[in-house]
Amino acid sequence: MNREERGNLTVGDPGKKLLCFALPIILINFLQAVYHVTDMVILGHFAGAEGMSAVSIGGQVTTVVLVVAVAITNGGAAITGQCFGRGDRDGIRQLVSTMYSLLLIIAICLTVAVILTCRPILTFLNTPEESFAGATAYLQICMAGTVCVYTYNCFYAILRGTGDSLTPLKIVVCTMLMNIILDLILVAGFHAGAAGAAVATVLSQAVSAILICCAVCQDGYFGWKKDDFRTDREMLRRLMKISTPQVIQMVLTNTSFLLVGGLVNRFGVYHSAAAGAVSKIWNFTVLAGQAMMTAMISMCAQNYAKQEYRRILRALAAGIALVSGIAAVITLLCEIWPSKMLGVFTDDQIVVETGIRYLRWFAVGFIAENTMFCLFGTLTGAGHTLVPMCCAVITAYLIRYLFAFILSRYTPLGFEGIAVAYSAAPFVSAGICGLYLLSGRWKQ
């Protein structure tokens, strides 16, 4: 069976097909989370709370830049899946050239803009003085690798859309090991701090971009000729129609995370470090849901092209069951052994004690968040991206940020109030998307 036959998600048991396709994506997300967590763990033990805080704050800014590419390429994966379901290889080639040209322009513009405004951004986020220099170095170095990150996401979307999740998995395994080795050399060996962690990340991203580009070129969807950078207006219009709501959704949602981070940073460097550790635990928890969202985009897109709505819903049910089970286990661990979970990242007892109640409140929303991602993927694959956009943006600002502001500033909860607000937001988003699916309007 060749790669394209394996990538056909319109045949076979939908639940099993989804899980077989999603498993490598879950592993990819897990390995990517591992090498991001590696930065935090090594810095926590070799650079202290200041290093943890620097990577946490700088990483929040780079995430906002990253999600622009993720949003556009999620739309690209949906179009790829629909083209693949119809057997339209020329359409996929048009999409690749159009999407990659667009992403390169955006990457260059954002790189220049963020590097030039780095210090004002970190000042706005109430970055503690102890970690300001490290956060500046981390952010500027990571931004230098934006083109690599955007390149990787572009070609990863094409492979996902054609049902290939094994090739990206092999690439991530190689680059994860590379990142860990470089972290140990630069941070633990040369004591380069946050800057060393950033260099390790950028070098690993560059290698992953080269490898995944080669894979797409082998499939015949892209080359390095002049015609491969030609923008097709109709394809660009189609891509932006699907992607624009996602771009708005993800940028505004992650900007709300930045604002919430600003609330955290007001409490000081130890609270910033504790929140950074909790955010890494959150990354591990939702990676299954985010992977299932990615898988559901392709599953829904391919079956949507053939109006196989029942297959889509059966796959969705299987996906939610799996990711909810994973989230339930991690939630239980966070509630029973929060100090041990935080102790993985640092041996600073002040940081650990500061984060215990924060982590317990944060864990309340883990299951809802994973379910929400599955629903987002289904609606995105069907091309109905306005609904996830609206509910995500509304809950991000009216619940996550505004609620966090009130609870942290005007109630005895203080720092823990931010976690309470954060855990409440996904319940609302998941509820809105669930009701929309039940209405049947997504089939139109």
Side-chain angles (χ1 to χ4, degrees):
M1 183 183 294
N2 61 35
R3 186 185 293 175
E4 292 198 0
E5 289 173 337
R6 291 198 306 269
N8 189 348
L9 304 176
T10 62
V11 296
D13 181 87
K16 292 180 180 178
K17 197 78 173 184
L18 174 70
L19 296 182
C20 289
F21 176 56
L23 182 58
I25 301 177
I26 292 175
L27 290 175
I28 289 170
N29 283 13
F30 174 77
L31 293 175
Q32 288 177 331
V34 165
Y35 81 68
H36 286 303
V37 165
T38 299
D39 293 344
M40 184 70 74
V41 171
I42 294 176
L43 282 164
H45 289 282
F46 291 94
E50 293 83 0
M52 293 177 67
S53 175
V55 170
S56 175
I57 297 169
Q60 289 173 346
V61 180
T62 58
T63 297
V64 175
V65 175
L66 169 63
V67 296
V68 176
V70 172
I72 293 174
T73 55
N74 276 348
I79 296 174
T80 301
Q82 292 171 7
C83 290
F84 188 80
R86 293 191 296 266
D88 183 9
R89 289 183 62 87
D90 288 337
I92 297 176
R93 282 191 285 267
Q94 285 182 341
L95 171 67
V96 177
S97 61
T98 300
M99 181 165 62
Y100 191 41
S101 299
L102 174 65
L103 287 173
L104 285 177
I105 295 171
I106 295 173
I108 293 170
C109 292
L110 287 177
T111 298
V112 174
V114 175
I115 288 178
L116 291 178
T117 60
C118 176
R119 297 184 69 84
I121 290 173
L122 294 175
T123 301
F124 174 76
L125 294 176
N126 301 313
T127 303
E129 183 179 349
E130 301 92 326
S131 57
F132 197 96
T136 301
Y138 185 85
L139 179 54
Q140 290 180 334
I141 294 171
C142 284
M143 285 305 304
T146 303
V147 169
C148 298
V149 176
Y150 276 41
T151 297
Y152 173 83
N153 278 274
C154 176
F155 296 123
Y156 180 29
I158 302 305
L159 293 181
R160 293 197 327 256
T162 56
D164 180 10
S165 54
L166 288 175
T167 301
L169 174 60
K170 296 174 184 176
I171 292 171
V172 169
V173 169
C174 295
T175 53
M176 179 205 69
L177 294 174
M178 176 182 174
N179 187 83
I180 292 174
I181 293 170
L182 289 174
D183 266 335
L184 290 172
I185 293 173
L186 297 174
V187 179
F190 289 94
H191 303 287
V199 170
T201 298
V202 170
L203 290 176
S204 301
Q205 290 168 343
V207 172
S208 65
I210 293 170
L211 293 177
I212 204 162
C213 178
C214 291
V216 173
C217 289
Q218 287 178 355
D219 286 346
Y221 295 123
F222 186 73
W224 288 98
K225 301 176 182 178
K226 184 178 180 180
D227 288 344
D228 291 305
F229 292 91
R230 182 173 296 171
T231 300
D232 182 87
R233 290 186 178 182
E234 177 57 27
M235 184 59 74
L236 179 62
R237 184 200 64 79
R238 185 178 173 190
L239 175 64
M240 296 312 296
K241 181 179 179 181
I242 295 178
S243 299
T244 299
Q246 277 221 336
V247 172
I248 295 171
Q249 169 195 332
M250 290 191 174
V251 170
L252 291 180
T253 300
N254 281 273
T255 301
S256 77
F257 296 161
L258 281 178
L259 296 175
V260 171
L263 296 177
V264 169
N265 296 335
R266 292 175 63 91
F267 288 90
V269 68
Y270 291 107
H271 292 79
S272 176
V278 171
S279 72
K280 296 302 181 184
I281 296 172
W282 174 85
N283 285 340
F284 267 107
T285 306
V286 301
L287 63 85
Q290 291 172 338
M292 199 60 69
M293 177 181 74
T294 300
M296 279 304 305
I297 290 173
S298 299
M299 169 65 78
C300 183
Q302 288 192 24
N303 285 279
Y304 198 82
K306 296 185 176 182
Q307 298 183 346
E308 293 283 356
Y309 306 124
R310 185 168 295 180
R311 282 182 59 84
I312 294 171
L313 293 177
R314 287 175 62 190
L316 174 62
I320 289 176
L322 174 64
V323 300
S324 295
I326 294 172
V329 172
I330 300 177
T331 299
L332 192 61
L333 292 174
C334 291
E335 298 296 344
I336 297 176
W337 296 300
S339 60
K340 291 183 179 180
M341 298 288 283
L342 292 165
V344 172
F345 298 92
T346 179
D347 50 11
D348 189 324
Q349 287 304 304
I350 298 178
V351 175
V352 172
E353 292 297 326
T354 300
I356 288 177
R357 285 175 56 83
Y358 188 85
L359 175 58
R360 281 176 167 160
W361 278 113
F362 219 88
V364 172
F366 284 169
I367 295 175
E369 192 117 27
N370 276 280
T371 301
M372 177 194 75
F373 282 123
C374 293
L375 296 170
F376 279 5
T378 303
L379 293 176
T380 299
H384 288 248
T385 51
L386 279 173
V387 177
M389 181 199 80
C390 291
C391 68
V393 172
I394 290 171
T395 55
Y397 286 92
L398 293 185
I399 298 178
R400 183 176 291 120
Y401 177 67
L402 184 59
F403 200 26
F405 180 84
I406 294 171
L407 291 179
S408 65
R409 299 287 290 274
Y410 301 109
T411 74
L413 285 169
F415 176 58
E416 286 79 18
I418 297 172
V420 173
Y422 200 103
S423 64
F427 285 96
V428 178
S429 292
I432 294 172
C433 289
L435 290 173
Y436 189 79
L437 276 175
L438 290 174
S439 73
R441 295 184 63 185
W442 64 281
K443 300 176 184 178
Q444 298 174 7

